[in-house]
Amino acid sequence: MGKRIAVLTGGGDCPGINPVIRAVVRKALKEGYQVIGLKNGWKGLIEKEIIWLDLNSVSGILPKGGTILGTSRTNPYKSEENLKKAKANFKSLKIDALIAIGGEDTLGTAHKLYKEGFNIVGVPKTIDNDLSATDRTFGFDTAVNIATEAIDRIHTTAESHHRVMVVEVMGRHSGWIGLEAGIAGGADAILLPEFPVGIKEVCDLIKKRHNRGKTFSIVVVAEGAKFKQDQEVLQEEELDAFGHVRLGGIGQLLGKEIEKRTGFETRVTVLGHIQRGGTPTAYDRVLGTRYGVKAVELVIEGKFGQMTSLQGNQVVSASLEEAVKTLKTVPVELYEIAKIFFG
Ligand code: F6P
């Protein structure tokens, strides 16, 4: 009987996961492995919910958003009992190697299990692009393109109505989506978690712009952005299994303040999960495919505790430990470029 690879997808979904699954399955089958999918992230390992993956199961999934395996934010380290089950099932399912596709939480769990002796390889996934040890996570390119298209559309209605339009994008602790979509969409101000600004500064930028004859403005704000001396704006205080609060609401707050302080009519659009849905860009399909193939190569080479990583134009491997140690945030040099176009 051939060796067995298991694959799971955990945390928030994103466009490009299915191309990774497809590539893992195609490459692994070619190399003589059997492949099983664990359903709904770590939950599938805890509850032994699996599906066999063959050529037919991954046929036609390349352009599809989401994940055919389902996902969850289940954290096996939250409960002794679940952790025990996960470890026992790794053995009873005769898994020789597990490929975990996920962001900081999923890969953090992958790293812990690896340190306890399990053969695990990671694939970095998140629209937020905030994982260290890789230049890019797949899903990010699609999210930036969706947000840019939205800003372009908002531009025309802003111009017609002479309004300030606030666009809230995702980005919990890092503002990569806000930065890139903001630059690409020609935003007049961009607020990111890394660089707290005062509401007065934002209003001054808008007033300056209107003083030179412009009658509309676009402000992009990441959901995790903070005002100087303020906390994040929360939608809910409740924590998820990995200890995160639900963010959201900063766009509304900012919009209200701008209207009050400048007197310009203001509207707010929250892009939310639209950024995570739908078909992946060609870039994410290709990156996901390269990551999937590389993940199987890492399994063959026995390079466990590693994840696939993009360095420049090369797909290489990087340690999971490095990847989850610190978040990759937006460097000040890039924000300075964006600022040239403010106001
Ligand atoms: O990590 C990706 C992300 O999209 C964050 O930007 C966002 O804060 C979070 O997931 C929202 O997750 P959900 O609403 O699916 O729990």
Side-chain angles (χ1 to χ4, degrees):
M1 214 174 59
K3 286 193 159 193
R4 187 171 295 172
I5 289 180
V7 55
L8 67 78
T9 59
D13 68 342
C14 82
I17 298 184
N18 287 329
V20 181
I21 297 170
R22 172 176 173 267
V24 164
V25 172
R26 297 289 295 248
K27 173 74 177 164
L29 294 180
K30 235 188 191 122
E31 299 291 342
Y33 286 88
Q34 299 175 327
V35 191
I36 57 170
L38 301 171
K39 288 170 116 181
N40 305 317
W42 296 111
K43 196 163 177 269
L45 187 60
I46 294 165
E47 293 175 3
K48 230 177 174 174
E49 270 197 85
I50 67 152
I51 46 169
W52 286 96
L53 294 172
D54 59 15
L55 285 181
N56 284 340
S57 25
V58 294
S59 167
I61 67 171
L62 185 61
K64 281 195 183 148
T67 160
I68 59 161
L69 295 177
T71 186
S72 73
R73 294 197 189 274
T74 303
N75 177 1
Y77 282 89
K78 268 290 259 192
S79 121
E80 265 308 313
E81 199 193 326
N82 283 347
L83 187 59
K84 238 192 232 161
K85 278 193 200 162
K87 288 179 183 173
N89 290 341
F90 204 110
K91 288 181 184 141
S92 66
L93 287 167
K94 299 190 178 5
I95 298 170
D96 293 294
L98 168 66
I99 296 176
I101 305 170
E104 50 160 333
D105 297 328
T106 306
L107 296 185
T109 300
H111 178 240
K112 281 187 192 162
L113 280 170
Y114 159 72
K115 284 210 304 200
E116 295 198 51
F118 293 90
N119 292 344
I120 304 186
V121 159
V123 176
K125 163 242 67 154
T126 163
I127 62 164
D128 296 338
N129 197 38
D130 58 0
L131 268 171
S132 291
T134 183
D135 289 350
R136 287 261 162 156
T137 53
F138 68 85
F140 173 61
D141 185 69
T142 308
V144 168
N145 275 289
I146 292 169
T148 303
E149 198 207 322
I151 296 168
D152 287 348
R153 288 177 187 276
I154 283 167
H155 240 111
T156 60
T157 167
E159 201 164 356
S160 309
H161 285 267
H162 318 292
R163 284 172 174 158
V164 176
M165 301 294 273
V166 174
V167 185
E168 183 183 307
V169 297
M170 280 188 170
R172 180 173 277 283
H173 304 296
S174 332
W176 288 101
I177 297 176
L179 176 89
E180 294 212 355
I183 292 176
D188 304 302
I190 303 173
L191 281 72
L192 307 179
E194 293 88 339
F195 311 103
V197 292
I199 296 186
K200 182 176 178 308
E201 283 170 60
V202 181
C203 292
D204 287 349
L205 282 171
I206 294 168
K207 282 190 210 152
K208 202 174 106 196
R209 194 177 135 78
H210 287 231
N211 284 342
R212 70 175 162 91
K214 290 303 209 183
T215 61
F216 71 97
S217 292
I218 306 284
V219 178
V220 171
V221 57
E223 63 181 344
K226 294 175 215 70
F227 298 120
K228 272 182 188 152
Q229 286 135 9
D230 275 353
Q231 294 292 315
E232 296 157 320
V233 181
L234 309 184
Q235 238 181 83
E236 271 174 21
E237 299 271 341
E238 210 183 307
L239 302 181
D240 70 13
F242 286 93
H244 304 303
V245 286
R246 227 171 113 199
L247 298 175
I250 186 147
Q252 290 298 343
L253 197 132
L254 182 64
K256 249 188 220 154
E257 283 300 316
I258 291 175
E259 190 164 79
K260 195 169 86 191
R261 294 183 191 208
T262 65
F264 302 132
E265 192 180 17
T266 304
R267 293 286 189 273
V268 179
T269 303
V270 179
L271 296 185
H273 294 80
I274 288 172
Q275 295 158 98
R276 284 216 322 238
T279 188
T281 57
Y283 180 92
D284 279 335
R285 293 182 205 186
V286 174
L287 185 61
T289 300
R290 293 177 76 193
Y291 277 173
V293 169
K294 183 71 180 178
V296 175
E297 285 170 2
L298 293 179
V299 169
I300 293 168
E301 291 161 18
K303 287 194 174 165
F304 302 114
Q306 299 279 306
M307 70 164 195
T308 62
S309 152
L310 186 72
Q311 309 278 340
N313 199 26
Q314 300 296 311
V315 172
V316 295
S317 70
S319 85
L320 281 173
E321 187 170 11
E322 280 306 309
V324 299
K325 212 190 285 175
T326 49
L327 277 186
K328 185 178 69 193
T329 51
V330 172
V332 69
E333 312 85 75
L334 287 181
Y335 193 55
E336 288 301 324
I337 292 174
K339 276 165 76 177
I340 293 172
F341 303 93
F342 287 6

